[in-house]
Each structure stands twice: as C-alpha cells, then as structure tokens.
Amino acid sequence: MPQVLTTNAIITCPHGGLGTTTPTDPKWTVNGGFVVLENDPGVLACPFIVPCVGYTLQSMGLNATQIDGRKVILVTDFNQSFTGLPLTMVETHQVIDNSTPAPIPAGGAAPPLSPTLADAIKPVVSVAPPVLAFNSVTTLPPTAAATFTLFSDFPLSWKLVVISEPVPRNMEITSAPFPPGLVVAPAGGDWTTPTLLITVTMTAVFMASLGIGTHHFFMTGVNQRGLNSFTQMVLTVT
C-alpha cells in the first residue's frame, strides 16, 4: 500500500499557509485521519497579499487504489493551490510504498516497480539572476532576462506563475500567448530532457505594465513521480 494522503497531513503553500482538506467520502482512516480522494477540496490559511486560498486535490494516476470508484490521493501526487503554486504535503504514518502503474490488468499481478516510480529525488530548480530591478521613470533597463535551470532524471512538467504586490495580482505565463514585451522560451510546460533551461526575457513595456511593486516569478518543476521543487525570481519595479 502506498502512502496515501489523509486529513492528518500537514499541507502548506510556499508562503507557509496551512491547508485543511474536507473529505467528501470519509470511509477509510489511517491513524485516525480520513483518506482523501481526487477532487476533494481544501482551504489554505495563507498570509500572503495574494493568498493561496485553497486547492482541489488531483491524482496523477500512479496507483490503482480507489474508494467507490474514485482515485485515492498519494502523498507524492503533485498538487497546487488555486494561484498555481505547489503544495507541500507531509504524512507521518509509516507504510511500504509499493506503488505500481495503474490500472492493474484484471486477474494479473502488479508489474515490478519502475525506475520512474522508484525515484525519490526531487527536481533541482534554480534561477540566475534571482533578483532584477526596473525603473519606470527612466524605463531602464530596456530589457531584462533571467534563466531558470531545471534538472531531474525523470522530468515531467514545469509551470511559471507571477504573483505581484502590493496590488494583488497573479497570472500564469507558462504558455503563449504572452503579454506584450514578454518572451518565455521554450514555452508550453513540457519537460522532456533531464536538464532544461527556460529563459524569461522582459522589455521595458512589459515591466512597466506590471506596475510599481514587487513581482515574484515562481518556477515549479515536477518529475514523473510527482515530486516537485520551486524557486523564484523577484523583479522590483520602482
């Protein structure tokens, strides 16, 4: 049995907001916590100016375990807040994780654990430079760029989200069409090679359009096991 997610789990967003999941089919328990299922909702007590208000749990389909025909959520299933940021999910119950690709053929035996599912190493995600600045009066610099570097032996996908303050706003910039003056290359969110470089290039037009304040560019990388890591580049507009 894999390590399933329960209502005992400690779920947090990148801002440290604690999550509370509501089980919609509370039938199974592990150590007193109800096992949660795909599409179960949750709320986050996020303190950020653009709060990660909540989430809807999604299964990656890596295990055949179900309750009443609904997929059980694993601790390693990648999930994110409504603002598009990754959730950290931690359970304390001990299990032997024998996850197998789903579904298992009727009457057949589970195949051996694949290297993909045996992967316990989170992706490595970094950015250079981590901080950029733009002056909206002088409109300098005319362009600015940052490069995100992602590495995983078994990559799956990536997502790039901008969260702004003090005027609260968030937008996803993973795929085109992009706002005028912004280029993300390569775009689309697919991650097919172990090492991937994604460059974000911004012109003065785009940076000025963001408005005066601090703008957090969150990059999340996800591997095929569902493990994820994130980093952020911060653009300050004065």
Side-chain angles (χ1 to χ4, degrees), residues 117-208:
L117 290 181
D119 183 17
I121 301 175
K122 289 186 175 183
V124 177
V125 183
S126 61
V127 62
V131 176
L132 291 171
F134 173 74
N135 188 305
S136 60
V137 176
T138 63
T139 64
L140 294 175
T143 61
T147 298
F148 293 91
T149 302
L150 292 72
F151 176 81
S152 174
D153 286 329
F154 302 98
L156 177 63
S157 63
W158 59 271
K159 188 171 187 176
L160 185 57
V161 175
V162 183
I163 296 181
S164 302
E165 57 174 324
V167 178
R169 181 175 65 171
N170 70 290
M171 62 176 171
E172 183 180 343
I173 54 171
T174 304
S175 303
F178 300 115
L182 172 68
V183 176
V184 178
D190 292 332
W191 184 9
T192 58
T193 58
T195 300
L196 177 64
L197 273 62
I198 301 168
T199 299
V200 178
T201 304
M202 303 170 288
T203 67
V205 170
F206 173 73
M207 291 185 284

